[in-house]
Amino acid sequence: MNFDELFGHLGQHTVDGLSKGAIYALIALGYTLVYGVLRLINFAHSEVFMVGTFAVLGVWTALGVENNPPIGQAILFLVIGLVVAAAASGGTALAIERIAYRPLRRKNAPPLIFLITAIGLSLVLVEVFGLLLPDVAGGALPSMFGRARQIVGMPTILKQETLFEIGGTQITNIQVIVFVSAVVMMALLDWFINRTRYGRGVRAVAQNPETAALMGVNQERVIMLIFVLGGIMAGAAALLWSMRFGFTQNSIGFVLGLKAFTAAVLGGIGNLRGALVGGLFLGIVEVYGATLFASNWEDVIAFVVLVVVLMFRPTGLLGESLGRARA
């Protein structure tokens, strides 16, 4: 165990963990929103994130983006990437709800059927992108057998540079953009849920769907809204992932989605602010563990921490349901 490396560069590892955990937290919001309202674990949400990464790659490829463009063009490409990724992920999430989950709700299917359906949808999306996606990496014409199963690199929109240094801890522009963007988007979502009319409808359905229906709240609109909101957050996470890590593939959502779900459970599944806390906590623990042991222990450490935390806090670190959330 490398304690010298961990404590000798503790600040640097903490900053790395926060920027990584911010992406987990954004994806975790999709799990939290759906579970808070429907009591459903939407395991297909990980592939909603995957679709967002390919949307970013596709639009940047179509625009002919090259490495390290001028700052003005870089900002424009990032904005376009965000809009396209949010639209693609939000649309995918909505399609999943309309095509798969809505018929099951109408038939009052048991929870196990929803879970099996979610896993099946996840596998379908992974395989569809693996088989039918064009070879975007090589710029070839669309092919029935692309290379999405392989890791596909993305252009470097912003060159990573150190903005400032605090006590020997270097903080880069990418880390600042990722962390601040994620926190701002989560704050906006929290404000929307707690302060707007539509947000009150979401909380009402989450707390008591029968009473909410009697009060005139349209449950179907609320359900559509939470899927779209979760998809938009996943699309934003896809853009931040593309900036920080710069690659994707058809199975990228599998482990990342499990970690985001772990973050949601750690913070308290159904709790928006808990998703933030859980994501940041998981990101820091992962980086600490990878430094202390080895990088190939990273995934093991993440899930061991989940088990340990739930042994002592079964409802998560915050443990407040969406229906009881207040500003």
Side-chain angles (χ1 to χ4, degrees), residues 91-106:
T92 301
L94 181 60
I96 289 172
E97 195 281 323
R98 294 286 91 179
I99 295 172
Y101 296 146
R102 187 182 186 186
L104 294 178
R105 290 200 313 275
R106 287 182 170 179

Side-chain angles (χ1 to χ4, degrees), residues 30-230:
Y31 291 103
T32 286
L33 283 168
V34 172
Y35 182 84
V37 172
L38 294 177
R39 295 299 185 266
L40 164 67
I41 304 299
N42 179 25
F43 280 117
H45 185 65
S46 56
E47 274 53 64
V48 171
F49 165 80
M50 180 268 292
V51 170
T53 63
F54 278 105
V56 173
L57 177 60
V59 71
W60 285 354
T61 301
L63 293 173
V65 177
E66 298 180 354
N67 290 332
N68 303 319
I71 185 64
Q73 293 183 16
I75 294 174
L76 177 62
F77 292 146
L78 289 174
V79 172
I80 294 174
L82 175 62
V83 172
V84 172
S89 294
T92 301
L94 181 60
I96 289 172
E97 195 281 323
R98 294 286 91 179
I99 295 172
Y101 296 146
R102 187 182 186 186
L104 294 178
R105 290 200 313 275
R106 287 182 170 179
K107 295 179 180 179
N108 294 319
L112 179 60
I113 301 302
F114 281 91
L115 181 61
I116 294 172
T117 302
I119 296 173
L121 283 170
S122 176
L123 294 174
V124 166
L125 287 171
V126 168
E127 292 304 312
V128 165
F129 272 75
L131 290 173
L132 303 181
L133 199 74
D135 183 6
V136 289
L141 293 175
S143 165
M144 287 299 291
F145 298 97
R147 297 190 178 182
R149 294 183 186 277
Q150 303 174 12
I151 293 177
V152 183
M154 296 185 179
T156 301
I157 296 293
L158 289 177
K159 183 179 180 181
Q160 184 163 282
E161 299 175 344
T162 301
L163 288 182
F164 50 89
E165 186 173 327
I166 302 176
T169 299
Q170 296 181 347
I171 300 177
T172 68
N173 54 344
I174 300 296
Q175 290 171 332
V176 171
I177 291 172
V178 168
F179 182 77
V180 172
S181 300
V183 170
V184 167
M185 293 203 67
M186 284 181 278
L188 289 174
L189 180 62
D190 187 78
W191 171 83
F192 180 84
I193 294 297
N194 287 290
R195 295 295 186 181
T196 67
R197 178 186 171 206
Y198 293 107
R200 286 195 295 271
V202 171
R203 288 188 284 117
V205 174
Q207 188 168 6
N208 193 317
E210 290 79 13
T211 302
L214 292 174
M215 297 297 292
V217 178
N218 190 319
Q219 294 187 47
E220 288 300 319
R221 288 184 181 178
V222 167
I223 292 169
M224 291 172 62
L225 177 62
I226 61 168
F227 272 88
V228 170
L229 287 175

